Amino acid sequence: MLATTLACPRCQSTHVVKNGRIHNGRQNFKCKACGRQFVQYPTKKVIGQETRNLIDKLLLERLSLAGITRVIGVSEQWLQTYVNAKYEVTGRQVEIEEKKRGGLTIQCDEMWSFVGNKGNKQWVWLALDWKSGEIVGCYVGNRSGDGARGLWQSLPSVYKQCAVCYTDFWEAYEQVIPESRHRAVSKKSGQTSLIERFNCTLRQRVSRLVRDTLSFSKKLDNHIGAIWYFIHHYNSSLLV
């Protein structure tokens, strides 16, 4: 037990004990009377813009939030609040240059993911412009016709009106893509290879999509936000 000079800031009890260390290595204490945890001589840490910019970059790499807190030295609670706010304002529509009508080809595919537990499957539906390499559509939902319709509705109008769409043989695509512009092909044809390659990129860069990982989404909004955050970054990187 510590000396009686150290008192709990909540109840003023001197019955306090050491309780590990916080993220920056400082000694943490716990009051045995009321359960309050605290540090001696606390100082409020201001997270500067430079640190925030670095966090924004790290969110685009294969790092869990716990890993980012260890690298940056911020608390998990602060980082989770920061990430929640960032994903909440992340746009859910593609931001690409206007395309001319005619000659448009897209590749579509869907990839498995989950939120909370593996029983809560959330399929990520994606569409990629064959010529520009941009992601032009995205929807997160089930793997039924509803998911396919969500992807179709996420496409800019010019693609829905003119694009030829290459997909695998999953039947849901037939329900929404006009027959005259739908091309169902096998993976061996190579005509969906670009979107399949992007699926791999997405799994390698967004930690919550990595197979057999401890980093997974607990909230659907954050799951969707993280995917769209990377898509916006990916599309903008193609313009450099």
Side-chain angles (χ1 to χ4, degrees):
M1 187 176 296
L2 302 178
T4 56
T5 53
L6 185 59
C8 172
R10 176 188 291 166
C11 68
Q12 304 306 311
S13 170
T14 57
H15 191 196
V16 298
V17 295
K18 291 183 178 179
N19 189 44
R21 296 183 180 275
I22 61 175
H23 66 278
N24 59 9
R26 295 188 62 189
Q27 182 65 58
N28 189 45
F29 299 98
K30 182 176 181 179
C31 175
K32 299 292 285 186
C34 70
R36 169 71 181 271
Q37 296 188 46
F38 63 96
V39 295
Q40 194 174 21
Y41 310 122
T43 56
K44 184 177 181 180
K45 183 178 181 181
V46 177
I47 312 299
Q49 189 58 49
E50 184 176 351
T51 299
R52 294 168 187 257
N53 291 342
L54 179 56
I55 291 172
D56 291 347
K57 292 181 179 179
L58 293 177
L59 290 173
L60 297 166
E61 301 299 333
R62 189 175 172 175
L63 283 175
S64 64
L65 295 188
I68 294 177
T69 62
R70 291 191 293 270
V71 172
I72 301 298
V74 297
S75 70
E76 290 190 27
Q77 181 179 0
W78 181 90
L79 181 62
Q80 187 65 69
T81 300
Y82 178 78
V83 169
N84 290 350
K86 174 168 289 293
Y87 289 161
E88 185 177 351
V89 299
T90 298
R92 264 58 167 180
Q93 291 182 321
V94 293
E95 299 173 358
I96 58 175
E97 294 183 356
E98 185 175 349
K99 299 294 191 297
K100 296 181 179 180
R101 296 172 62 90
L104 294 175
T105 301
I106 62 175
Q107 298 179 7
C108 304
D109 199 14
E110 69 286 346
M111 61 183 287
W112 175 83
S113 67
F114 70 94
V115 173
N117 61 77
K118 291 186 177 180
N120 184 16
K121 298 179 181 180
Q122 298 294 330
W123 289 84
V124 184
W125 297 75
L126 296 162
L128 178 146
D129 184 302
W130 173 81
K131 185 175 182 179
S132 69
E134 297 168 300
I135 298 301
V136 296
C138 176
Y139 180 78
V140 180
N142 59 40
R143 205 186 180 203
S144 69
D146 291 337
R149 277 186 288 273
L151 174 64
W152 185 254
Q153 291 302 318
S154 73
L155 294 171
S157 297
V158 66
Y159 288 96
K160 288 185 284 187
Q161 296 167 1
C162 306
V164 174
C165 309
Y166 285 88
T167 75
D168 57 23
F169 289 103
W170 184 239
E171 58 187 15
Y173 290 110
E174 299 177 357
Q175 301 176 29
V176 297
I177 301 176
E179 183 178 358
S180 61
R181 292 189 281 119
H182 183 208
R183 307 288 187 270
V185 297
S186 69
K187 294 184 182 297
K188 292 182 179 181
S189 71
Q191 293 175 306
T192 57
S193 60
L194 294 181
I195 187 61
E196 291 166 12
R197 180 63 184 85
F198 178 79
N199 287 347
C200 182
T201 298
L202 197 58
R203 287 200 187 278
Q204 291 298 314
R205 297 287 296 278
V206 182
S207 62
R208 64 190 69 210
L209 295 178
V210 177
R211 296 182 184 275
D212 298 324
T213 179
L214 295 177
S215 302
F216 59 88
S217 301
K218 295 181 180 179
K219 293 175 57 179
L220 180 58
D221 285 345
N222 280 1
H223 191 70
I224 296 173
I227 293 168
W228 273 107
Y229 182 65
F230 183 80
I231 287 174
H232 291 310
H233 164 76
Y234 182 83
N235 282 347
S236 64
S237 71
L238 298 176
L239 303 176
V240 178

